[in-house]
Amino acid sequence: MKVKNLLAVAALCLFSGSAAAQVTNYNGIYFQYNPSWLSYNVSGVKSDYLNGLTLGYTHSFGIAGDSPLFLEVGGNLQYAFKSKTESASHTVAGVKASADVTERFNMLSLNVPINFGYSIRLGDGLALNPYVGLRMRLNLLATETAKATVTIGNQTETEKETANMFSKDDMGGSDNTWNRFQIAWRAGAKMIISEAFFVEAGYEMDFNRIADHTRFSSVNLGIGYVF
């Protein structure tokens, strides 16, 4: 009888170890929405809000044997953007004059996140994986385009100018010129569902400034497929 009990306990241990491995060992592809901010260390200047979209791949693997500790690495491509339009008009001597100014910002980055976490088993097919880590970002593209359209009576003129955020000439000196590489701290959690999908929420902020007076941060809200 004791032998049977020992065999049952051993089988249960093996099953538990296998379940934990399924939570911490997986590959995944994911899509994120990233509300982001460019914060300026300048008195009276408000932060710029950006929309962001991310498509990425992740690989998670358990460490320290059957421990629920895991390491997660991967890569993603992120596109951030904003658009703002301001208009004004008035009439002088019966002639209507109007001006429309549109500013568009586009940013494309390659990111490599590295997360260290702990998997908490919540039930059959359900686990919570909180994590902390680092994110390395290489900025591939960042431009700001201003387009102004002025209409006086029946005559319309349009001017358009695009600035490369990495060009000293376009940005008016090195103080405003962006850097190509940033490192950020990050923290968040994934809820793994049926060992086939996950939802994620997290936050990250750069250690080093993207420019002398500018720092980048973002919220990460995502959904992924596990395979």
Side-chain angles (χ1 to χ4, degrees):
M1 193 70 176
K2 291 183 178 180
V3 174
K4 291 182 178 180
N5 290 337
L6 288 174
L7 289 175
V9 171
L12 181 61
C13 291
L14 288 174
F15 175 78
S16 300
S18 175
Q22 290 174 359
V23 175
T24 59
N25 292 271
Y26 62 85
N27 296 296
I29 54 175
Y30 59 89
F31 174 79
Q32 289 180 348
Y33 171 61
N34 314 104
S36 304
W37 294 266
L38 289 171
S39 303
Y40 305 101
N41 188 26
V42 178
S43 178
V45 178
K46 295 182 179 180
S47 300
D48 279 329
Y49 175 80
L50 310 175
N51 291 293
L53 302 173
T54 296
L55 182 64
Y57 164 82
T58 188
H59 173 65
S60 175
F61 56 94
I63 56 179
D66 291 333
S67 166
L69 296 172
F70 66 87
L71 190 65
E72 190 174 21
V73 296
N76 64 61
L77 197 63
Q78 184 180 79
Y79 173 60
F81 60 96
K82 71 167 184 171
S83 179
K84 180 176 68 173
T85 300
E86 295 182 353
S87 301
S89 64
H90 62 276
T91 301
V92 179
V95 178
K96 183 178 180 181
S98 63
D100 297 306
V101 178
T102 300
E103 295 180 358
R104 299 184 186 278
F105 175 82
N106 296 281
M107 179 179 178
L108 186 65
S109 304
L110 179 64
N111 301 295
V112 177
I114 302 174
N115 302 323
F116 175 76
Y118 186 93
S119 183
I120 304 170
R121 194 80 176 187
L122 301 179
D124 291 340
L126 193 65
L128 181 66
N129 287 17
Y131 62 81
V132 295
L134 299 174
R135 185 264 296 141
M136 278 73 72
R137 182 177 66 240
L138 178 64
N139 298 312
L140 306 176
L141 171 72
T143 61
E144 189 168 35
T145 300
K147 180 181 178 181
T149 301
V150 178
T151 301
I152 301 176
N154 296 322
Q155 295 183 345
T156 299
E157 291 187 7
T158 299
E159 290 188 5
K160 183 177 179 181
E161 184 176 345
T162 299
N164 179 357
M165 309 300 285
F166 306 109
S167 169
K168 292 182 180 179
D169 293 336
D170 289 356
M171 298 303 294
S174 59
D175 288 349
N176 299 319
T177 303
W178 281 23
N179 300 310
R180 291 280 185 180
F181 180 75
Q182 275 78 47
I183 298 179
W185 64 266
R186 65 197 319 261
K190 286 185 173 72
M191 179 70 76
I192 300 179
I193 305 167
S194 299
E195 299 173 359
F197 302 95
F198 67 80
V199 292
E200 178 181 8
Y203 178 79
E204 59 186 48
M205 176 182 284
D206 286 349
F207 285 116
N208 57 321
R209 299 182 186 274
I210 200 168
D212 279 2
H213 304 291
T214 309
R215 192 182 299 276
F216 188 92
S217 60
S218 67
V219 171
N220 306 319
L221 305 173
I223 183 169
Y225 171 69
V226 173
F227 60 94

